[in-house]
Amino acid sequence: MNPVRLFLVHENPLHREALSRSLEAHAEVELIGSLSRSQVANERLRRDGVDLVLVDASIEQEAALEVTRNLRRRFPGLRLLPLGLEGGADVVRFIEAGANGYLLQDASLAELIRTAVDVYRGRPPCSSRVADMVRLRIVELSRSAPRLRAPTVALTKRENEILEQVADGLGNQEIALELGIALATVKNHVHRILDKLGARSRREAVRVAFENGLLKGVARLRPRRRPPAS
């Protein structure tokens, strides 16, 4: 298996260099580069084929959130993994900003490597408690935000099934395993659901679906099956 190509965004030069050297010693990952937040603002990360960006959030968390949002807007397909979070509430904020996973302050280097590989493979390391917080936050936003009315839509039975899985917090690969269908098929269904609901993101699609009665409540978290190692 090819190593996951990482890029590190860290504000502290000493810590950035130390973590970079530690990452370079592991065959599972390949460090493409490392920069501060101000430097990465103008960096074309896709130029070097970066798979995943590590964003340090232990210093100036609000600035790290903004970096995460900006990277998500500029590179929609890029995996983003914030480091140094304090707990569940912080995790929810970064997931809302576009992060694909998270690493807490007390995590080890081995956990960082394992989490980066899991996130790259589409296995977000999200505990059931955090998953519940994310879904409840979506419902909270749907109640407080201006109501968006979806056009009159008729979702197919399969699209409804996939919409429920999306509301449950599952990624495309997990949905494919859950329903026993191809990953490409899931992606096509998700695109059609977004188009039908007039939504720009999965989160917005869930919110619009709740507002229009397509989802009746917060679904119970089902046990997840991990995809086989490749």
Side-chain angles (χ1 to χ4, degrees):
M1 184 183 67
N2 293 330
V4 182
R5 293 163 296 186
L6 303 179
F7 196 97
L8 173 62
V9 180
H10 202 302
E11 207 61 19
N12 185 298
L14 180 60
H15 292 174
R16 186 169 69 238
E17 181 178 349
L19 182 53
S20 296
R21 291 184 181 276
S22 298
L23 291 170
E24 288 170 351
H26 287 263
E28 301 96 325
V29 298
E30 177 186 356
L31 186 65
I32 300 299
S34 62
L35 292 172
S36 67
R37 290 192 300 267
S38 59
Q39 292 170 319
V40 82
N42 298 316
E43 182 70 11
R44 295 178 59 187
L45 296 178
R46 282 302 188 188
R47 179 187 59 197
D48 295 319
V50 175
D51 297 318
L52 185 148
V53 178
L54 304 173
V55 181
D56 179 70
S58 62
I59 305 172
E60 300 181 15
Q61 188 176 104
E62 293 301 324
L65 274 167
E66 188 59 28
V67 168
T68 302
R69 295 188 189 100
N70 288 338
L71 290 175
R72 174 56 61 227
R73 285 194 294 266
R74 293 169 57 201
F75 309 106
L78 197 62
R79 300 285 183 176
L80 304 175
L81 179 62
L83 313 177
L85 303 187
E86 293 184 1
D90 292 337
V91 172
V92 172
R93 296 178 71 204
F94 274 88
I95 290 177
E96 287 182 339
N100 300 97
Y102 64 93
L103 210 69
L104 299 180
Q105 287 181 342
D106 58 354
S108 66
L109 180 62
E111 288 175 305
L112 190 161
I113 301 296
R114 183 172 63 252
T115 302
V117 172
D118 281 348
V119 168
Y120 174 64
R121 292 181 180 176
R123 303 197 299 247
C126 194
S127 69
S128 60
R129 181 176 67 87
V130 171
D132 286 338
M133 291 178 67
V134 172
R135 289 198 302 276
L136 289 172
R137 177 63 174 157
I138 291 173
V139 175
E140 177 186 333
L141 289 173
S142 72
R143 290 170 178 168
S144 61
R147 293 183 63 83
L148 298 176
R149 297 301 299 178
T152 301
V153 295
L155 298 181
T156 66
K157 180 180 179 181
R158 179 62 83 187
E159 287 169 349
N160 274 309
E161 288 177 332
I162 290 176
L163 179 60
E164 290 175 358
Q165 302 279 352
V166 170
D168 241 358
L170 273 66
N172 288 344
Q173 189 170 3
E174 293 172 304
I175 295 173
L177 287 170
E178 186 77 21
L179 300 180
I181 58 179
L183 177 60
T185 302
V186 174
K187 291 180 179 179
N188 289 336
H189 280 305
V190 171
H191 284 309
R192 282 198 291 270
I193 291 169
L194 295 181
D195 288 341
K196 287 184 177 182
L197 296 179
R200 294 168 295 179
S201 67
R202 297 162 76 96
R203 186 178 67 191
E204 186 178 347
V206 171
R207 179 156 67 92
V208 173
F210 271 117
E211 292 176 353
N212 289 272
L214 299 176
L215 291 169
K216 301 302 183 183
V218 178
R220 180 178 61 85
L221 185 69
R222 291 187 289 273
R224 297 185 178 184
R225 290 181 288 178
R226 287 180 172 266
S230 55

